[in-house]
Structures are given as structure tokens and as C-alpha cells.
Amino acid sequence: AVRKITTVRTENTVGAIDLVLPPKYQYEDFSKCQIIEVWREKQGQLELQNETAYFLMDWEFTSSGGERLVRLMGFDANWLLATRIVAYDAGSAQAEMTDNADDIMKAVVTDNLGGDATGTRDISTWLTIASDLSDGQSLTKAFSRRNVLRVCQELAEASTSAGTRTYFDVVRTGIAEFTFRTYTGQRGVDHGRDSADVRLVGEQYGNFDDITLGTYHSEEINYVYAGGQGTEGDREIVEVSDSDRINVGYPFNRVEGFADARHADTTAGVTAEGNALLRDGMPRQILTGRLNDTPGMQYGIHYGFGDIVSAEAFGYKVDCHVTSVKATYDADNGETIDVRLRGEI
């Protein structure tokens, strides 16, 4: 029987598992990349937890006070993206693209893990790539020798900043079978205030706590110098800015930043990197908090990972995303779910 299991899933990044078992296993029973799946029963229905599986990375056998335990630790399937770089030269068709952000992600994964990868880089027998949807923002991006996971994260961030919330995930579709998918709008189901199936969250409903509503300018960048190829006086420099933001607090609010775009061999690519930093440097108004289970609002029944819910706090109504879910099962204390929301005004 499981002594304790903790899983963490967060949008657009690598999740984790920490599993504690009784000492009925041998040290040699475990090896890297063994696959762990977590199934959860709720109201008589057995479902795979959060559409993923976990790859075993580390394991420990412990003995303390006469109690012996086995501890297994691993990463969810998004880890596969972190195992590759974009192994193509700058300026090549595989390392610089102009397309919808979600389609670029799929091309990058196909080129470096899927059917267009070469030799042992190709794991298309186990990892398929969903069809292009062309739903993300149109972007130009160069990414030679960059980590595939980080490239996908930057594309999702850039598309979101440009006006279309964009997500990706490696989803478990069968035993040792996975699919890379992209999503726009939300990772899961829309239960926001304008949807046909609203889920309400707020202190008055008894299901919202640890709430913070804030406006953040401290990391703002509103004037960007983007540096392309070349050195010193011969280096290409493109300048991009947001005059409306600069004029808020004028003359003190010009905040400069530098985007290193030497991996881009076109002016369009350098400009795109500058605009990406300019978008990333926007001030934010953010609502965050913890969603608590109530009889009418239970995780896995009324809402799930990546869904949108309608949150109310401090006089504001904000559609918030279920961005992170930490689930813990303890043999002594049962199950606890820590669900975190995030929304921007």
C-alpha cells in the first residue's frame, strides 16, 4: 500500500511526483524512466490524474527509528521536452520560423523529438504530435541550440502577451504513449463568467482563500534595444518601445532593457525578440488565491486542472485559471488538494 503520494501539475512547465512506499521492494527493482501513473477515484469513477504519467528519476531506501521506507521521485511527461535542444544551425528552417505560435511549437517538437528528428532523437513511436490548429498569435522567432521546453514556454508567453492565451502539454494517451498538444483560451474547460457553465469562486461562497490582488510595475520594461548579429559598431541594433507606457509617470518612467537576439539572422527576427521582451515587461494586475473544495465545488468533479473559473475579490470579478494543482494522499490523513488560481485584470 502507498504510504504517501504527492503530485504537482502546473501549466506550461514540468510537474513532479514524490511517492513513499513500504519496504517490500528491492533496490534493483527501479531504473530511470520507469513510468508511474496515478489514478484517482471520485464518486465511483476511476480517472487518470491530470492526463499525465511520471518518469522515475531518483529513488531512495531509508531507515529511521526502525522504520524502513522506499521513496520514488520523478517528473511528468513535459520533462520529455526538456531532454532536447533545437539541434539546428541559426537561420535554418528548423531554427527560425514565422507562423502561429502553437504551430511553431509543434514543428519544434516534431523536428527534435518526433518523426523529423534523426537517429535516437526520434521517439515518434511513443510520442505523437497533434495536428496544427493555427490558433495562436502569428510570431517570428529564432531558437537555434535552445532548449525545446524553454522555446515552447517563450512561444506560449509571447502569444499570450500578444492577446491569445496559449498553452502546451504532453498528455498520456496510452501505456507508454504520449501526445504533444496545444491549447488556446485555456488548458481545460471555460467556466468563466461569460461561459454557459459558470463556476463561482469567492470568500462569500466559502471556497476562496489566501487571496492577493496586486498591481506590479517593478519589473516593467518599456524601451528595448534588441541586438542581432555582428559585434560592437557593426552589430545590428533594433529599437522598439511603448510610448503610452513611457508617458505614465513621465519623465521618470522610461525603463530600458536589452534583448540578445544574436541567434536571429534577419531584422524581422531581431525585432521579434525585442517585441517579446517589451511584452514580457508589461505591468500586471493579478489576482491569485487558493480554491478550497466545498460540496458544490469539488476538484475532479466540478472543475479540473487548466479550467477557468469566475473569481470575486475586493470588488473585482476576474476569470481565473486553475494554473497549479498539488495533490497529496497520506495513508494516515487521507487526501488533500491544493489548487491555485491566477487571473489578470
Side-chain angles (χ1 to χ4, degrees), residues 224-275:
V224 175
Y225 298 88
Q229 296 182 358
T231 59
E232 301 301 333
D234 294 328
R235 187 170 190 183
E236 181 180 22
I237 301 293
V238 174
E239 300 177 37
V240 294
S241 62
D242 187 329
S243 58
D244 289 340
R245 285 199 278 135
I246 292 172
N247 288 332
V248 175
Y250 180 85
F252 306 109
N253 195 40
R254 174 167 164 147
V255 184
E256 298 177 346
F258 181 77
D260 188 349
R262 71 185 69 192
H263 50 283
D265 67 345
T266 65
T267 299
V270 176
T271 303
E273 292 297 317
N275 282 324

Side-chain angles (χ1 to χ4, degrees), residues 118-337:
T118 58
T120 56
R121 303 187 82 222
D122 176 5
I123 58 170
S124 58
T125 299
W126 304 275
L127 175 67
T128 58
I129 290 85
S131 300
D132 285 350
L133 299 174
S134 304
D135 288 336
Q137 290 286 318
S138 180
L139 303 171
T140 296
K141 188 169 180 63
F143 35 77
S144 176
R145 313 301 173 185
R146 303 282 310 286
N147 181 267
V148 168
L149 173 66
R150 187 59 193 143
V151 170
C152 289
Q153 289 171 331
E154 291 176 358
L155 286 163
E157 291 164 4
S159 183
T160 297
S161 296
T164 302
R165 291 187 175 275
T166 304
Y167 305 89
F168 63 87
D169 204 0
V170 179
V171 175
R172 183 266 194 199
T173 52
I175 298 175
E177 295 178 351
F178 303 89
T179 299
F180 178 78
R181 293 177 181 167
T182 58
Y183 314 80
T184 51
Q186 68 280 331
R187 163 64 176 78
V189 179
D190 184 2
H191 295 299
R193 62 187 179 277
D194 294 327
S195 72
D197 188 16
V198 180
R199 298 284 189 267
L200 297 174
V201 177
E203 289 180 302
Q204 66 270 40
Y205 306 115
N207 59 11
F208 202 24
D209 199 3
D210 289 348
I211 306 166
T212 300
L213 174 66
T215 297
Y216 304 97
H217 288 273
S218 56
E219 297 183 2
E220 180 176 4
I221 296 173
N222 50 41
Y223 199 103
V224 175
Y225 298 88
Q229 296 182 358
T231 59
E232 301 301 333
D234 294 328
R235 187 170 190 183
E236 181 180 22
I237 301 293
V238 174
E239 300 177 37
V240 294
S241 62
D242 187 329
S243 58
D244 289 340
R245 285 199 278 135
I246 292 172
N247 288 332
V248 175
Y250 180 85
F252 306 109
N253 195 40
R254 174 167 164 147
V255 184
E256 298 177 346
F258 181 77
D260 188 349
R262 71 185 69 192
H263 50 283
D265 67 345
T266 65
T267 299
V270 176
T271 303
E273 292 297 317
N275 282 324
L277 181 58
L278 189 66
R279 288 191 297 266
D280 289 344
M282 291 180 62
R284 310 287 183 185
Q285 287 183 287
I286 300 172
L287 176 66
T288 60
R290 185 179 72 241
L291 202 168
N292 299 320
D293 261 16
T294 61
M297 192 67 165
Q298 297 182 54
Y299 177 74
I301 297 176
H302 303 104
Y303 71 96
F305 174 63
D307 288 1
I308 292 177
V309 295
S310 179
E312 301 177 24
F314 305 106
Y316 287 85
K317 296 181 179 180
V318 184
D319 281 352
C320 287
H321 293 246
V322 180
T323 58
S324 182
V325 176
K326 179 180 179 180
T328 301
Y329 172 79
D330 187 290
D332 297 323
N333 301 310
E335 183 185 56
T336 59
I337 304 287

